[in-house]
Amino acid sequence: DTEVTQTPKHLVMGMTNKKSLKCEQHMGHRAMYWYKQKAKKPPELMFVYSYEKLSINESVPSRFSPECPNSSLLNLHLHALQPEDSALYLCASSQGSYTYNEQFFGPGTRLTVL
Amino acid sequence: QQQVKQSPQSLIVQKGGISIINCAYENTAFDYFPWYQQFPGKGPALLIAIRPDVSEKKEGRFTISFNKSAKQFSLHIMDSQPGDSATYFCAASFGNEKLTFGTGTRLTIIP
């Protein structure tokens, strides 16, 4: 299985809602990533988990809260988001955290904040 | 110095033609240069990658040309097909630093 799955595919939420994005991989990868991608822009790294520990936080606002319950799962908890947070949220995984390792991206969750 | 400049922003190529996308970088510490392909509604997928110890790498119809002295690298797609229509991102990194992406090129292959 060489797939990264993400749920939900689409999410619409109000600024006071709390929601979560989920990501799963069964490739035995030990590094997992959250990226944010705005339309017609490249992905922007948000968080990196390496061996289930948060290793990189790219100064992301606290309204985004990542969680790695185990080596196969990655969550992104959302609370009190702003309309400018509307974007495609991509999860990726790789064998290790070094970029020489190919990152496998999921299809993303299209988030709209009203 | 962390920037990777990519051009053109958009490109239209006739079916069967050669598509060429260029990237330039400033940071001489970069030592890994991948290209990602992204279709609408999908996540990016690694297409091909090169390290600076070689000047060219070919995989099927896709070739990376790398010019270390000029700090430039390019993607060539031979015999371009409508199925190649996508957005292409170059990227660069070194060590375990994050990938620095180019701004993307929207490629359209017309019949």
Side-chain angles (χ1 to χ4, degrees), chain B residues 11-61:
Chain B
L11 180 62
I12 298 174
V13 174
Q14 204 140 25
K15 179 182 173 183
I18 303 173
S19 304
I20 302 174
I21 304 170
N22 301 299
C23 285
Y25 63 96
E26 290 295 324
N27 189 346
T28 55
F30 286 146
D31 61 2
Y32 175 67
F33 302 89
W35 284 90
Y36 282 85
Q37 178 188 56
Q38 186 174 23
F39 294 106
K42 302 286 186 182
L46 179 65
L47 196 59
I48 187 172
I50 198 168
R51 295 180 62 179
D53 51 348
V54 296
S55 60
E56 186 175 281
K57 183 174 181 180
K58 185 176 181 180
E59 289 185 2
R61 296 185 294 109

Side-chain angles (χ1 to χ4, degrees), chain A:
Chain A
D1 185 0
T2 57
E3 194 178 19
V4 175
T5 59
Q6 290 187 244
T7 55
K9 287 187 178 180
H10 301 274
L11 179 62
V12 179
M13 60 186 291
M15 289 190 283
T16 58
N17 292 156
K18 285 185 181 180
K19 297 286 185 183
S20 296
L21 309 184
K22 296 185 185 300
C23 173
E24 192 167 2
Q25 58 88 13
H26 294 288
M27 295 178 277
H29 289 173
R30 303 312 303 268
M32 297 186 77
Y33 311 76
W34 279 115
Y35 286 85
K36 174 183 177 180
Q37 187 177 28
K38 293 284 230 180
K40 299 184 180 180
K41 297 289 187 183
E44 296 175 42
L45 184 65
M46 300 174 72
F47 302 103
V48 180
Y49 272 84
S50 181
Y51 291 84
E52 299 155 54
K53 291 186 179 178
L54 183 65
S55 61
I56 295 177
N57 177 339
E58 290 288 315
S59 303
V60 178
S62 60
R63 57 185 184 269
F64 295 91
S65 175
E67 179 195 19
C68 189
N70 60 55
S71 60
S72 300
L73 294 173
L74 187 66
N75 298 321
L76 186 63
H77 302 297
L78 314 173
H79 173 55
L81 294 192
Q82 304 297 310
E84 59 265 28
D85 296 322
S86 298
L88 181 68
Y89 287 84
L90 294 162
C91 174
S93 72
S94 67
Q95 278 189 316
S97 59
Y98 285 88
T99 54
Y100 291 114
N101 292 312
E102 176 182 357
Q103 291 186 28
F104 289 82
F105 283 83
T109 294
R110 176 75 59 188
L111 174 67
T112 303
V113 181
L114 301 177

